[in-house]
Amino acid sequence: MGFKEHCFKKSLWLFHFGGASCNNCDIEILDCLTPRYDVERFGMVLVGSVRHADVLLVNGSINTKCRDRLLEIYKQAPKPIVVVAIGACGCTGGIFAEGNTFAGPVDKIIPVDVYIPGCPPKPEAILAGIVNFLNKN
């Protein structure tokens, strides 16, 4: 068993980075925290600092202004960290991909482990993507 697989056997702490987006994915991520979906039943909790996180949730397209912030946050994150690209904008750039300030989808900036497409993806899809990744490891 490798180091990365061993690290994610316990509860996960999530840090959310919202790129340049319409904020629909933000709403769906926050919906995961409500009693209806309750990510805490899987041992997941949203934390206020990436330095305490096991998972980095990134949604929205990455423009030139937030690219440097995303890189800095990724550098501050403890390794190993699971990076999850959420939504069409996070996975491919979505409707913002043709913009002149578009810096690229998340995987062109930092390495991505899990892709959860959709515009916006439903909370069930977000939870399923993270849980499926954990089950594979």
Side-chain angles (χ1 to χ4, degrees), residues 31-93:
D31 201 18
C32 291
L33 301 170
T34 63
R36 181 173 183 178
Y37 297 102
D38 190 21
V39 296
E40 289 185 8
R41 68 185 159 159
F42 299 113
M44 297 181 217
V45 63
L46 198 62
V47 294
S49 172
V50 74
R51 292 182 172 139
H52 299 208
D54 302 306
V55 178
L56 175 59
L57 304 175
V58 183
N59 70 289
S61 66
I62 306 303
N63 62 20
T64 54
K65 194 170 191 175
C66 67
R67 177 186 60 221
D68 294 336
R69 288 182 179 92
L70 178 60
L71 284 169
E72 187 64 30
I73 285 172
Y74 183 73
K75 287 177 190 173
Q76 292 176 359
K79 305 300 185 281
I81 189 162
V82 175
V83 178
V84 181
I86 297 179
C89 295
C91 294
T92 65

Side-chain angles (χ1 to χ4, degrees), residues 8-30:
F8 302 118
K9 294 256 180 218
K10 298 183 180 178
S11 61
L12 296 178
W13 288 13
L14 314 170
F15 182 80
H16 175 216
F17 177 85
S21 70
C22 66
N23 292 16
N24 280 330
C25 291
D26 296 323
I27 293 167
E28 298 299 327
I29 290 169
L30 292 176

